[in-house]
Amino acid sequence: MKRTDYILDRMFSIVMCLTAVLFSAGLLWLMGLRYEFILYIEILFGGSFFAALLWDYARKRKYYRRLMALFDGLDDKTLLAELVEKPGFLDGKLLYQILRLSDKYMNDKLAEAQAANQEYREYIEMWVHEVKTPITSAHLIIENDKNISTIRIDDELNKIDHFVEQALFYARSTALEKDFKIEKTTMKTLVLEALKSDSKQIIGVRGRPVFVNLDIPVFADRKWCVFIIGQIIANSVKYAKGDLILTFEGSTFENGCSLLISDNGIGIAEADLPRIFDKGFTGKNGRNLRKSTGIGLYLCRKLCRKMNMEISAAGSSEHGTTMKIIFPYNLVM
């Protein structure tokens, strides 16, 4: 609380006090009292008022400073009303009461929003599992009646399956801690599992995987890591230029290890690199080829952050794209 703001807020009281001092001094003078007596009375009257004003300012300044310090120190600002102490002055008590009522209203609304979000997430998960049944059935029908047309349909079904799987992981990403399981595995296992799910698409662009130093043991959530690697592979397939070469290279360092996934595709424009992990950002390649949704890499970064991992990208139009996933020490054996 600034001194000038407080004085301006109390300006009417100050003006009225000064007016009363002058008016009473005039009355006392007309009554014929001595100047010394009049001065003593006015100093006593005015001094008492300004002393009370100073005391009121001091206690309110102290309280509001503590309130702001408490607010700045809280990570969860909604806890302010629970932790703040009740003041001893009237306007502070009113503020305290409003804070408590506002906090209750906000918590009720937050609980409603969380419940609605949970219900929506559960619906998406149920929908994904339900829609996978006809997709699987369609794959089996095509398997029993293969021709040029059904093979093309099968390719489109694979794309639908990929987007359905992405929707499931997106829905689950809001509550990753409830579906997070650390287990012993290796980089090679994660890469091979991701390649297996995208094998048809890789064959379709005459892709060839290259493995370099992948026998690095890690502790990680296999399902989520395989999904992240699969998204990167899907992007490489989507933006392939000629015969695709996918290189997977592992390396270790003092605080963890990293997995480099490189391709020889069309690469990423330098101006787009800082934004490729932003939600909905498609960049130059996405606008030109109209294949990108801007969700895949955003979801990869979101999942990596929740698992205390890092993901970054480098590339150019001449040398393709390189994605780097860093497993921290606490996820490395």
Side-chain angles (χ1 to χ4, degrees), residues 147-160:
N147 56 59
I148 295 176
S149 297
T150 56
I151 290 174
R152 289 178 178 174
I153 293 172
D154 192 56
D155 290 339
E156 297 304 315
L157 282 173
N158 286 328
K159 294 177 183 178
I160 293 173

Side-chain angles (χ1 to χ4, degrees), residues 19-53:
T19 303
V21 167
L22 294 174
F23 183 74
S24 61
L27 285 177
L28 293 173
W29 179 76
L30 290 175
M31 292 171 63
L33 295 179
R34 294 173 59 184
Y35 289 110
E36 294 84 355
F37 186 69
I38 294 174
L39 183 62
Y40 174 77
I41 292 176
E42 299 308 324
I43 289 176
L44 183 64
F45 179 68
S48 299
F49 173 79
F50 284 104
L53 203 65

Side-chain angles (χ1 to χ4, degrees), residues 52-71:
L53 203 65
L54 183 62
W55 174 76
D56 184 61
Y57 168 74
R59 65 172 180 164
K60 289 182 178 179
R61 180 171 176 266
K62 183 179 179 181
Y63 176 77
Y64 287 123
R65 275 193 170 184
R66 286 203 305 266
L67 182 64
M68 288 304 299
L70 178 62
F71 180 78

Side-chain angles (χ1 to χ4, degrees), residues 191-205:
V191 169
L192 290 177
E193 196 170 334
L195 285 170
K196 183 179 179 181
S197 61
D198 289 304
S199 57
K200 285 188 177 180
Q201 288 77 15
I202 295 172
I203 293 171
V205 292

Side-chain angles (χ1 to χ4, degrees), residues 166-204:
Q166 189 181 78
L168 175 62
F169 277 85
Y170 187 87
R172 287 179 174 174
S173 67
T174 57
L176 180 62
E177 62 281 356
K178 297 180 181 179
D179 190 31
F180 187 57
K181 181 183 177 182
I182 298 294
E183 55 188 323
K184 186 178 180 180
T185 185
T186 64
M187 281 189 187
K188 190 170 185 178
T189 301
L190 299 175
V191 169
L192 290 177
E193 196 170 334
L195 285 170
K196 183 179 179 181
S197 61
D198 289 304
S199 57
K200 285 188 177 180
Q201 288 77 15
I202 295 172
I203 293 171

Side-chain angles (χ1 to χ4, degrees), residues 18 59 69 71 85 92 107 158 169 185 196 199 211 215-216 219 226-227 252 260 266 268 273 282 299 306 314:
L18 292 175
R59 65 172 180 164
F71 180 78
E85 62 183 79
N107 285 332
N158 286 328
F169 277 85
T185 185
K196 183 179 179 181
S199 57
F211 307 122
D215 293 319
I216 299 175
F219 279 117
V226 166
F227 173 78
T252 59
L260 294 179
I266 62 176
I268 303 172
L273 277 174
T282 58
L299 190 52
K306 285 182 175 286

Side-chain angles (χ1 to χ4, degrees), residues 137-146 150:
S137 299
H139 280 304
L140 291 174
I141 294 170
I142 291 170
E143 194 68 26
N144 295 324
D145 186 22
K146 282 190 175 181
T150 56

